[in-house]
Amino acid sequence: MEQKFAAAWAANRAKAETLGIKMRPVNEAEAVKTAKRALSGNRLSDGFNQLLAKNSLSLSLEALVIDKRFTALFTDEECNEALMRLLEVGYRF
């Protein structure tokens, strides 16, 4: 499941790049660990505000974390943090 998460995140970053949004690459082997670290801090994930401006938050790390395919990789707190970040900016599911 971790490999599928890493692949999905890489695909989302590639799609974001087609919108002109540059996000840092993530080592596939460290993808879940990197995502957990991003959710534990107070700052938004890489590219979040740019994705918001382009109405493309579905490509964000936060949206990926709450995707039912991947929630088992994260704690309830991490999923809740991702969800709250999205809800705070009016994300529609």
Side-chain angles (χ1 to χ4, degrees):
M1 184 181 307
E2 288 184 24
Q3 289 175 332
K4 288 183 180 184
F5 174 79
W9 197 8
N12 282 2
R13 286 193 312 279
K15 289 175 189 172
E17 194 164 323
T18 67
L19 298 172
I21 301 168
K22 182 81 169 138
M23 293 195 276
R24 286 177 266 160
V26 175
N27 180 328
E28 181 179 326
E30 300 282 322
V32 172
K33 183 178 177 181
T34 301
K36 288 175 172 286
R37 189 171 41 248
L39 293 168
S40 69
N42 289 329
R43 73 178 196 65
L44 299 171
S45 66
D46 198 26
F48 186 93
N49 287 323
Q50 293 174 335
L51 290 168
L52 173 61
K54 299 221 180 214
N55 199 31
S56 297
L57 279 176
S58 62
L59 300 176
S60 70
L61 166 64
E62 288 80 359
L64 198 58
V65 167
I66 63 168
D67 184 312
K68 64 183 176 185
R69 297 174 296 167
F70 304 118
T71 55
L73 294 172
F74 300 95
T75 65
D76 288 346
E77 291 79 14
E78 291 162 339
C79 290
N80 286 338
E81 178 63 27
L83 180 60
M84 290 307 300
R85 291 178 185 185
L86 292 166
L87 291 174
E88 285 176 358
V89 296
Y91 181 72
R92 303 270 184 239
F93 298 89

Coordinates of all heavy atoms in Angstrom, one line a residue:
M1 N 0.8 -1.2 0.0 CA 0.0 0.0 0.0 C 0.9 1.3 0.0 O 0.5 2.3 -0.6 CB -0.9 0.0 1.2 CG -1.9 1.2 1.2 SD -3.0 1.3 2.6 CE -3.8 -0.3 2.6
E2 N 2.0 1.2 0.7 CA 2.9 2.4 0.7 C 3.4 2.7 -0.7 O 3.5 3.9 -1.0 CB 4.1 2.1 1.7 CG 3.7 2.1 3.1 CD 4.8 2.0 4.1 OE1 6.0 2.3 3.7 OE2 4.6 1.6 5.2
Q3 N 3.7 1.7 -1.5 CA 4.2 2.0 -2.8 C 3.1 2.6 -3.7 O 3.3 3.5 -4.5 CB 4.6 0.7 -3.5 CG 5.9 0.1 -2.9 CD 6.3 -1.2 -3.5 OE1 5.4 -2.0 -4.0 NE2 7.6 -1.5 -3.6
K4 N 1.8 2.2 -3.5 CA 0.7 2.8 -4.2 C 0.5 4.2 -3.8 O 0.2 5.1 -4.6 CB -0.6 2.0 -4.0 CG -0.5 0.7 -4.8 CD -1.8 -0.1 -4.6 CE -1.7 -1.4 -5.4 NZ -3.0 -2.2 -5.3
F5 N 0.7 4.5 -2.5 CA 0.6 5.9 -2.0 C 1.7 6.7 -2.6 O 1.4 7.8 -3.1 CB 0.7 5.9 -0.5 CG 0.7 7.3 0.1 CD1 -0.4 8.1 0.2 CD2 1.9 7.9 0.4 CE1 -0.4 9.4 0.7 CE2 2.0 9.2 0.9 CZ 0.8 9.9 1.1
A6 N 2.9 6.2 -2.6 CA 4.0 7.0 -3.2 C 3.8 7.3 -4.7 O 4.0 8.4 -5.2 CB 5.3 6.2 -3.0
A7 N 3.2 6.3 -5.4 CA 3.0 6.5 -6.8 C 1.9 7.5 -7.1 O 1.9 8.3 -8.0 CB 2.6 5.1 -7.5
A8 N 0.8 7.4 -6.2 CA -0.3 8.4 -6.4 C 0.2 9.8 -6.1 O -0.2 10.8 -6.8 CB -1.4 8.0 -5.4
W9 N 1.0 9.9 -5.1 CA 1.5 11.3 -4.7 C 2.4 11.8 -5.8 O 2.3 13.0 -6.2 CB 2.3 11.2 -3.4 CG 2.5 12.5 -2.7 CD1 2.0 13.7 -3.1 CD2 3.3 12.7 -1.6 NE1 2.4 14.7 -2.2 CE2 3.2 14.1 -1.2 CE3 4.1 11.9 -0.7 CZ2 3.9 14.7 -0.2 CZ3 4.7 12.5 0.3 CH2 4.6 13.9 0.6
A10 N 3.2 10.9 -6.4 CA 4.1 11.4 -7.5 C 3.2 11.8 -8.7 O 3.5 12.8 -9.4 CB 5.1 10.2 -7.9
A11 N 2.2 11.0 -9.0 CA 1.3 11.4 -10.1 C 0.6 12.7 -9.8 O 0.5 13.5 -10.8 CB 0.2 10.3 -10.3
N12 N 0.2 13.0 -8.6 CA -0.4 14.2 -8.3 C 0.6 15.4 -8.4 O 0.2 16.5 -8.9 CB -1.0 14.2 -6.8 CG -2.3 13.5 -6.7 OD1 -2.8 12.9 -7.7 ND2 -2.8 13.5 -5.5
R13 N 1.8 15.2 -8.0 CA 2.8 16.2 -8.2 C 3.1 16.5 -9.7 O 3.2 17.7 -10.1 CB 4.1 15.9 -7.5 CG 4.0 16.0 -6.0 CD 5.4 15.9 -5.3 NE 6.2 14.8 -5.7 CZ 6.1 13.5 -5.3 NH1 5.2 13.2 -4.4 NH2 6.9 12.6 -5.7
A14 N 3.1 15.4 -10.5 CA 3.2 15.6 -12.0 C 2.1 16.4 -12.6 O 2.3 17.3 -13.4 CB 3.4 14.3 -12.6
K15 N 0.8 16.1 -12.1 CA -0.3 16.8 -12.6 C -0.3 18.3 -12.2 O -0.6 19.2 -12.9 CB -1.6 16.2 -12.1 CG -1.9 14.9 -12.7 CD -3.2 14.2 -12.0 CE -3.4 12.8 -12.5 NZ -4.4 12.2 -11.7
A16 N 0.2 18.5 -11.0 CA 0.3 19.9 -10.5 C 1.3 20.7 -11.3 O 1.2 21.9 -11.6 CB 0.7 19.9 -9.0
E17 N 2.4 20.0 -11.7 CA 3.4 20.6 -12.5 C 2.8 21.1 -13.8 O 3.2 22.2 -14.4 CB 4.6 19.7 -12.7 CG 5.8 20.5 -13.2 CD 7.1 19.7 -13.1 OE1 7.3 19.0 -12.1 OE2 7.9 19.8 -14.0
T18 N 1.9 20.4 -14.4 CA 1.3 20.8 -15.7 C 0.4 22.1 -15.5 O 0.1 22.8 -16.4 CB 0.4 19.7 -16.3 OG1 -0.8 19.5 -15.4 CG2 1.1 18.4 -16.5
L19 N 0.1 22.4 -14.2 CA -0.6 23.6 -13.9 C 0.3 24.7 -13.5 O -0.1 25.8 -13.2 CB -1.6 23.3 -12.7 CG -2.7 22.3 -12.9 CD1 -3.4 22.1 -11.5 CD2 -3.7 22.8 -13.9
G20 N 1.6 24.4 -13.6 CA 2.6 25.4 -13.3 C 3.0 25.5 -11.8 O 3.6 26.4 -11.4
I21 N 2.6 24.4 -11.1 CA 2.9 24.4 -9.7 C 4.1 23.4 -9.4 O 4.0 22.2 -9.7 CB 1.7 23.9 -8.9 CG1 0.6 24.9 -9.1 CG2 2.0 23.8 -7.4 CD1 -0.8 24.4 -8.6
K22 N 5.2 24.0 -9.0 CA 6.4 23.1 -8.7 C 6.4 22.7 -7.3 O 6.3 23.5 -6.3 CB 7.6 24.0 -9.0 CG 8.9 23.2 -8.9 CD 9.2 22.4 -10.1 CE 10.6 21.9 -10.0 NZ 10.7 20.5 -10.4
M23 N 6.4 21.4 -7.1 CA 6.5 20.8 -5.7 C 7.8 20.0 -5.6 O 8.2 19.4 -6.6 CB 5.3 20.0 -5.4 CG 4.0 20.8 -5.3 SD 2.6 20.0 -4.6 CE 1.9 19.1 -5.9
R24 N 8.3 20.0 -4.4 CA 9.5 19.2 -4.2 C 9.3 17.7 -4.4 O 8.3 17.2 -4.1 CB 10.0 19.4 -2.7 CG 10.6 20.7 -2.5 CD 11.0 20.8 -1.0 NE 9.8 21.5 -0.4 CZ 9.6 21.4 0.9 NH1 10.3 20.8 1.7 NH2 8.5 22.1 1.4
P25 N 10.3 17.0 -5.0 CA 10.2 15.6 -5.2 C 10.3 14.9 -3.9 O 10.9 15.4 -2.9 CB 11.4 15.2 -6.1 CG 12.3 16.4 -6.0 CD 11.5 17.6 -5.6
V26 N 9.7 13.7 -3.8 CA 9.7 12.9 -2.6 C 10.3 11.6 -2.9 O 9.8 10.9 -3.9 CB 8.3 12.8 -2.0 CG1 8.2 11.9 -0.8 CG2 7.7 14.2 -1.7
N27 N 11.2 11.1 -2.1 CA 11.8 9.8 -2.3 C 10.7 8.8 -2.0 O 10.0 8.8 -1.0 CB 12.9 9.6 -1.2 CG 13.6 8.3 -1.3 OD1 13.0 7.3 -1.6 ND2 14.8 8.3 -1.0
E28 N 10.5 7.9 -3.0 CA 9.4 6.9 -2.9 C 9.5 6.1 -1.6 O 8.4 5.8 -1.0 CB 9.5 5.9 -4.1 CG 8.3 4.9 -4.1 CD 8.4 4.0 -5.3 OE1 8.8 4.4 -6.4 OE2 8.0 2.8 -5.1
A29 N 10.6 5.7 -1.2 CA 10.8 4.9 0.0 C 10.4 5.7 1.3 O 10.1 5.1 2.3 CB 12.2 4.3 0.1
E30 N 10.5 7.0 1.2 CA 10.2 7.8 2.4 C 8.9 8.6 2.3 O 8.6 9.4 3.1 CB 11.3 8.9 2.5 CG 12.7 8.3 2.6 CD 13.0 7.8 4.0 OE1 12.5 8.5 5.0 OE2 13.6 6.8 4.2
A31 N 8.0 8.2 1.3 CA 6.8 9.0 1.0 C 5.9 9.1 2.2 O 5.4 10.1 2.6 CB 6.1 8.4 -0.2
V32 N 5.6 7.9 2.9 CA 4.7 7.9 4.0 C 5.3 8.7 5.2 O 4.6 9.5 5.8 CB 4.3 6.5 4.4 CG1 3.5 6.5 5.7 CG2 3.4 5.9 3.3
K33 N 6.5 8.5 5.4 CA 7.2 9.2 6.5 C 7.2 10.7 6.2 O 7.0 11.5 7.1 CB 8.7 8.7 6.6 CG 9.5 9.3 7.7 CD 10.9 8.6 7.7 CE 11.8 9.3 8.7 NZ 13.1 8.7 8.7
T34 N 7.5 11.1 5.0 CA 7.5 12.5 4.6 C 6.1 13.1 4.8 O 5.9 14.2 5.3 CB 7.9 12.7 3.2 OG1 9.3 12.2 3.1 CG2 7.9 14.1 2.7
A35 N 5.0 12.4 4.4 CA 3.7 12.8 4.6 C 3.3 13.0 6.0 O 2.7 14.0 6.4 CB 2.7 11.8 3.9
K36 N 3.7 12.0 6.9 CA 3.5 12.1 8.3 C 4.1 13.4 8.9 O 3.5 14.1 9.7 CB 3.9 10.9 9.0 CG 3.0 9.7 8.7 CD 3.6 8.4 9.4 CE 2.6 7.3 9.3 NZ 1.5 7.4 10.2
R37 N 5.3 13.6 8.5 CA 6.1 14.8 9.0 C 5.4 16.1 8.6 O 5.2 17.0 9.3 CB 7.5 14.8 8.5 CG 8.4 15.8 9.1 CD 9.9 15.7 8.8 NE 10.2 15.3 7.4 CZ 10.7 14.1 7.0 NH1 10.9 13.2 7.9 NH2 10.9 13.9 5.7
A38 N 4.9 16.1 7.3 CA 4.2 17.3 6.8 C 2.9 17.6 7.6 O 2.5 18.7 7.9 CB 3.9 17.2 5.3
L39 N 2.2 16.5 8.0 CA 1.0 16.6 8.8 C 1.2 16.9 10.2 O 0.2 17.4 10.9 CB 0.1 15.3 8.6 CG -0.4 15.1 7.2 CD1 -0.9 13.6 7.1 CD2 -1.4 16.1 6.8
S40 N 2.4 16.7 10.7 CA 2.6 17.0 12.2 C 3.0 18.4 12.5 O 2.9 18.8 13.6 CB 3.7 16.1 12.7 OG 5.0 16.4 12.1
G41 N 3.3 19.2 11.4 CA 3.7 20.6 11.7 C 2.5 21.5 11.5 O 1.4 21.1 11.2
N42 N 2.8 22.8 11.7 CA 1.8 23.8 11.6 C 1.7 24.3 10.2 O 0.7 25.0 9.8 CB 2.0 24.9 12.5 CG 1.8 24.5 14.0 OD1 1.0 23.6 14.2 ND2 2.6 25.1 14.9
R43 N 2.6 24.1 9.3 CA 2.6 24.6 8.0 C 1.9 23.7 7.0 O 1.9 22.5 7.2 CB 3.9 25.1 7.5 CG 4.9 24.0 7.1 CD 6.2 24.7 6.6 NE 7.1 23.9 5.9 CZ 6.9 23.3 4.7 NH1 5.8 23.4 4.1 NH2 7.9 22.6 4.1
L44 N 1.3 24.2 6.0 CA 0.6 23.4 5.0 C 1.6 22.7 4.1 O 2.8 23.0 4.0 CB -0.2 24.3 4.1 CG -1.3 25.1 4.8 CD1 -1.9 26.2 3.9 CD2 -2.4 24.2 5.4
S45 N 1.1 21.6 3.5 CA 2.0 20.9 2.6 C 2.5 21.7 1.4 O 1.9 22.7 1.1 CB 1.3 19.6 2.1 OG 0.2 20.0 1.2
D46 N 3.6 21.2 0.8 CA 4.2 21.9 -0.3 C 3.2 22.1 -1.4 O 2.5 21.2 -1.9 CB 5.4 21.0 -0.8 CG 6.3 21.7 -1.7 OD1 6.4 23.0 -1.5 OD2 7.0 21.1 -2.5
G47 N 3.0 23.3 -1.9 CA 2.1 23.6 -3.0 C 0.6 23.8 -2.6 O -0.2 24.1 -3.5
F48 N 0.3 23.6 -1.3 CA -1.1 23.7 -0.9 C -1.8 25.0 -1.4 O -2.9 25.0 -2.0 CB -1.2 23.5 0.6 CG -2.6 23.4 1.1 CD1 -3.2 22.2 1.3 CD2 -3.4 24.6 1.4 CE1 -4.5 22.1 1.7 CE2 -4.7 24.5 1.9 CZ -5.3 23.2 2.1
N49 N -1.2 26.1 -1.1 CA -1.8 27.4 -1.4 C -1.9 27.6 -2.9 O -2.8 28.2 -3.4 CB -1.0 28.5 -0.7 CG -1.3 28.6 0.8 OD1 -2.4 28.3 1.2 ND2 -0.3 28.9 1.6
Q50 N -0.9 27.2 -3.6 CA -0.9 27.3 -5.1 C -2.0 26.4 -5.7 O -2.7 26.8 -6.6 CB 0.4 26.9 -5.7 CG 1.5 27.9 -5.4 CD 2.9 27.4 -5.9 OE1 3.1 26.2 -6.0 NE2 3.8 28.4 -6.1
L51 N -2.2 25.2 -5.1 CA -3.3 24.3 -5.6 C -4.6 24.9 -5.2 O -5.5 24.8 -6.0 CB -3.1 22.9 -4.9 CG -1.9 22.1 -5.4 CD1 -1.7 20.9 -4.5 CD2 -2.2 21.6 -6.9
L52 N -4.7 25.5 -4.1 CA -6.0 26.2 -3.7 C -6.3 27.3 -4.7 O -7.4 27.4 -5.1 CB -5.8 26.8 -2.3 CG -7.0 27.6 -1.8 CD1 -8.3 26.9 -1.7 CD2 -6.6 28.2 -0.4
A53 N -5.3 28.1 -5.1 CA -5.5 29.2 -6.0 C -6.0 28.7 -7.4 O -6.7 29.4 -8.1 CB -4.2 30.0 -6.1
K54 N -5.6 27.5 -7.7 CA -5.9 26.9 -9.0 C -7.1 26.0 -8.9 O -7.4 25.2 -9.9 CB -4.8 26.2 -9.6 CG -3.6 27.2 -9.9 CD -2.9 26.9 -11.2 CE -1.8 27.9 -11.3 NZ -1.6 28.3 -12.7
N55 N -7.8 26.0 -7.8 CA -9.0 25.1 -7.5 C -8.6 23.7 -7.8 O -9.4 22.9 -8.4 CB -10.1 25.6 -8.4 CG -11.4 25.0 -7.8 OD1 -11.6 24.8 -6.6 ND2 -12.4 24.8 -8.7
S56 N -7.4 23.2 -7.3 CA -7.0 21.9 -7.6 C -6.5 21.2 -6.3 O -5.5 20.4 -6.4 CB -5.8 21.9 -8.6 OG -6.3 22.4 -9.9
L57 N -7.1 21.4 -5.2 CA -6.7 20.8 -4.0 C -6.9 19.3 -4.0 O -6.3 18.6 -3.1 CB -7.5 21.4 -2.8 CG -7.0 22.7 -2.3 CD1 -7.9 23.2 -1.2 CD2 -5.6 22.6 -1.8
S58 N -7.6 18.7 -5.0 CA -7.7 17.3 -5.1 C -6.3 16.7 -5.3 O -6.1 15.5 -5.1 CB -8.6 16.9 -6.2 OG -8.1 17.4 -7.4
L59 N -5.3 17.5 -5.7 CA -4.0 17.0 -6.0 C -3.1 17.2 -4.8 O -1.9 16.8 -4.8 CB -3.3 17.8 -7.2 CG -4.1 17.7 -8.5 CD1 -3.4 18.6 -9.5 CD2 -4.1 16.2 -8.9
S60 N -3.6 17.7 -3.7 CA -2.8 18.0 -2.5 C -2.5 16.7 -1.7 O -3.2 15.7 -1.8 CB -3.5 19.0 -1.6 OG -4.6 18.4 -1.0
L61 N -1.4 16.8 -0.9 CA -1.1 15.7 0.0 C -2.3 15.5 1.0 O -2.6 14.3 1.2 CB 0.1 16.1 0.8 CG 0.4 15.2 2.0 CD1 0.7 13.7 1.6 CD2 1.5 15.7 2.9
E62 N -2.9 16.5 1.4 CA -4.0 16.4 2.4 C -5.2 15.6 1.8 O -5.7 14.7 2.4 CB -4.5 17.8 2.8 CG -3.5 18.5 3.7 CD -2.3 19.2 3.1 OE1 -2.2 19.1 1.8 OE2 -1.5 19.8 3.8
A63 N -5.5 15.9 0.5 CA -6.6 15.1 -0.1 C -6.2 13.7 -0.3 O -7.0 12.8 -0.2 CB -6.9 15.8 -1.5
L64 N -4.9 13.4 -0.6 CA -4.5 12.0 -0.8 C -4.5 11.3 0.5 O -4.9 10.1 0.6 CB -3.0 12.0 -1.3 CG -2.5 10.8 -2.0 CD1 -3.4 10.3 -3.1 CD2 -1.1 11.0 -2.5
V65 N -4.2 11.9 1.6 CA -4.1 11.2 3.0 C -5.5 10.8 3.4 O -5.7 9.7 4.0 CB -3.5 12.2 4.0 CG1 -3.8 11.7 5.4 CG2 -2.0 12.3 3.8
I66 N -6.6 11.6 3.0 CA -7.9 11.2 3.4 C -8.6 10.3 2.3 O -9.8 9.9 2.5 CB -8.8 12.4 3.8 CG1 -9.0 13.3 2.6 CG2 -8.2 13.1 5.0 CD1 -10.0 14.4 2.8
D67 N -7.9 10.0 1.3 CA -8.4 9.1 0.3 C -8.6 7.7 0.9 O -7.7 7.2 1.5 CB -7.5 9.0 -0.9 CG -7.9 8.2 -2.1 OD1 -8.4 7.0 -1.8 OD2 -7.9 8.7 -3.2
K68 N -9.8 7.1 0.8 CA -10.0 5.9 1.5 C -9.1 4.8 1.1 O -8.9 3.8 1.9 CB -11.5 5.4 1.2 CG -11.8 5.1 -0.3 CD -13.2 4.7 -0.5 CE -13.5 4.5 -1.9 NZ -14.9 4.2 -2.2
R69 N -8.4 4.9 0.0 CA -7.4 3.9 -0.4 C -6.2 3.9 0.6 O -5.4 2.9 0.7 CB -6.9 4.1 -1.8 CG -7.9 4.0 -2.9 CD -7.3 4.3 -4.2 NE -7.0 5.8 -4.2 CZ -6.2 6.3 -5.2 NH1 -5.7 5.6 -6.2 NH2 -5.9 7.6 -5.1
F70 N -5.9 5.1 1.2 CA -4.7 5.3 2.0 C -4.8 5.6 3.4 O -3.8 5.7 4.1 CB -3.8 6.4 1.3 CG -3.6 6.1 -0.2 CD1 -4.0 7.0 -1.1 CD2 -2.9 5.0 -0.6 CE1 -3.8 6.7 -2.5 CE2 -2.7 4.7 -1.9 CZ -3.1 5.5 -2.9
T71 N -6.0 5.8 3.9 CA -6.2 6.2 5.3 C -5.6 5.2 6.3 O -5.2 5.6 7.4 CB -7.7 6.4 5.7 OG1 -8.4 5.2 5.4 CG2 -8.3 7.6 4.9
A72 N -5.5 3.9 5.9 CA -4.9 2.9 6.9 C -3.4 3.2 7.1 O -2.9 2.7 8.1 CB -5.1 1.5 6.3
L73 N -2.8 4.0 6.3 CA -1.4 4.3 6.5 C -1.1 5.4 7.5 O 0.0 5.6 7.9 CB -0.8 4.8 5.1 CG -0.7 3.7 4.0 CD1 -0.2 4.4 2.7 CD2 0.3 2.6 4.4
F74 N -2.2 6.0 7.9 CA -2.1 7.2 8.8 C -2.9 7.0 10.0 O -3.9 6.3 10.0 CB -2.5 8.5 8.0 CG -1.7 8.7 6.8 CD1 -2.1 8.2 5.6 CD2 -0.4 9.3 6.9 CE1 -1.3 8.4 4.4 CE2 0.4 9.5 5.8 CZ -0.1 9.1 4.6
T75 N -2.5 7.7 11.1 CA -3.3 7.7 12.3 C -4.6 8.5 12.2 O -4.7 9.3 11.2 CB -2.5 8.3 13.5 OG1 -2.3 9.7 13.3 CG2 -1.1 7.6 13.7
D76 N -5.5 8.4 13.1 CA -6.7 9.2 13.1 C -6.4 10.7 13.2 O -7.0 11.5 12.5 CB -7.6 8.8 14.2 CG -8.3 7.5 14.0 OD1 -8.3 6.9 12.9 OD2 -8.9 6.9 15.0
E77 N -5.4 11.0 14.0 CA -5.0 12.4 14.2 C -4.4 13.0 12.9 O -4.7 14.1 12.5 CB -3.9 12.5 15.3 CG -4.4 12.2 16.7 CD -4.6 10.7 17.0 OE1 -4.0 9.9 16.3 OE2 -5.2 10.4 18.0
E78 N -3.6 12.2 12.1 CA -3.1 12.7 10.9 C -4.2 12.8 9.8 O -4.2 13.9 9.1 CB -2.0 11.7 10.4 CG -0.8 11.7 11.2 CD 0.1 10.5 11.0 OE1 -0.3 9.4 10.5 OE2 1.3 10.6 11.4
C79 N -5.1 11.9 9.8 CA -6.2 12.0 8.8 C -7.1 13.2 9.2 O -7.5 14.0 8.3 CB -7.1 10.8 8.8 SG -6.2 9.4 8.0
N80 N -7.3 13.4 10.5 CA -8.1 14.6 10.9 C -7.4 15.9 10.6 O -8.1 16.9 10.2 CB -8.4 14.5 12.4 CG -9.5 13.4 12.7 OD1 -10.2 13.1 11.9 ND2 -9.4 12.9 14.0
E81 N -6.1 15.9 10.8 CA -5.4 17.2 10.5 C -5.5 17.5 9.0 O -5.7 18.6 8.6 CB -3.9 17.0 10.8 CG -3.0 18.2 10.5 CD -3.4 19.5 11.3 OE1 -4.0 19.4 12.4 OE2 -3.1 20.6 10.7
A82 N -5.3 16.5 8.1 CA -5.5 16.7 6.7 C -6.9 17.2 6.4 O -7.1 18.1 5.6 CB -5.2 15.4 6.0
L83 N -7.9 16.5 7.0 CA -9.3 16.9 6.7 C -9.5 18.3 7.2 O -10.2 19.1 6.5 CB -10.2 15.9 7.4 CG -11.7 16.2 7.3 CD1 -12.1 16.1 5.8 CD2 -12.5 15.2 8.1
M84 N -9.1 18.7 8.3 CA -9.3 20.1 8.9 C -8.6 21.1 8.0 O -9.2 22.2 7.7 CB -8.8 20.2 10.3 CG -9.6 19.4 11.3 SD -11.4 19.8 11.3 CE -11.4 21.5 11.6
R85 N -7.4 20.8 7.5 CA -6.8 21.8 6.6 C -7.6 22.0 5.3 O -7.7 23.1 4.9 CB -5.4 21.3 6.2 CG -4.4 21.3 7.3 CD -3.1 20.7 6.9 NE -2.1 20.6 8.0 CZ -0.9 20.2 7.9 NH1 -0.4 20.0 6.7 NH2 -0.1 20.2 8.9
L86 N -8.2 20.9 4.8 CA -9.0 21.1 3.6 C -10.3 21.8 3.9 O -10.8 22.7 3.2 CB -9.3 19.7 3.0 CG -8.1 19.0 2.4 CD1 -8.4 17.5 2.2 CD2 -7.6 19.7 1.1
L87 N -11.0 21.4 5.0 CA -12.3 22.0 5.4 C -12.1 23.5 5.7 O -13.0 24.3 5.3 CB -12.9 21.3 6.6 CG -13.4 19.9 6.3 CD1 -13.9 19.3 7.6 CD2 -14.5 19.9 5.2
E88 N -11.0 23.9 6.3 CA -10.7 25.3 6.6 C -10.7 26.2 5.4 O -11.0 27.4 5.5 CB -9.4 25.5 7.4 CG -9.6 25.0 8.8 CD -8.3 25.0 9.6 OE1 -7.2 25.4 9.0 OE2 -8.3 24.7 10.8
V89 N -10.4 25.7 4.2 CA -10.3 26.5 3.0 C -11.5 26.2 2.1 O -11.6 26.7 1.0 CB -9.0 26.3 2.2 CG1 -7.8 26.8 3.1 CG2 -8.8 24.9 1.8
G90 N -12.5 25.5 2.6 CA -13.8 25.3 1.9 C -13.7 24.2 0.8 O -14.5 24.2 -0.1
Y91 N -12.8 23.2 1.0 CA -12.7 22.1 0.0 C -14.0 21.4 -0.1 O -14.6 21.1 0.9 CB -11.5 21.2 0.4 CG -11.3 20.1 -0.5 CD1 -10.7 20.3 -1.8 CD2 -11.6 18.7 -0.1 CE1 -10.5 19.2 -2.6 CE2 -11.4 17.7 -1.0 CZ -10.8 17.9 -2.2 OH -10.6 16.9 -3.1
R92 N -14.4 21.1 -1.3 CA -15.6 20.3 -1.5 C -15.3 18.9 -2.0 O -14.5 18.7 -2.9 CB -16.5 21.0 -2.6 CG -16.9 22.4 -2.3 CD -18.2 22.4 -1.5 NE -18.6 23.8 -1.3 CZ -18.8 24.3 -0.1 NH1 -18.6 23.6 0.9 NH2 -19.2 25.5 0.0
F93 N -15.9 17.9 -1.4 CA -15.6 16.5 -1.7 C -16.5 16.0 -2.8 O -17.6 16.4 -3.0 CB -15.8 15.7 -0.4 CG -14.8 16.1 0.6 CD1 -15.1 17.0 1.6 CD2 -13.6 15.5 0.7 CE1 -14.2 17.4 2.5 CE2 -12.7 15.8 1.7 CZ -13.0 16.8 2.6

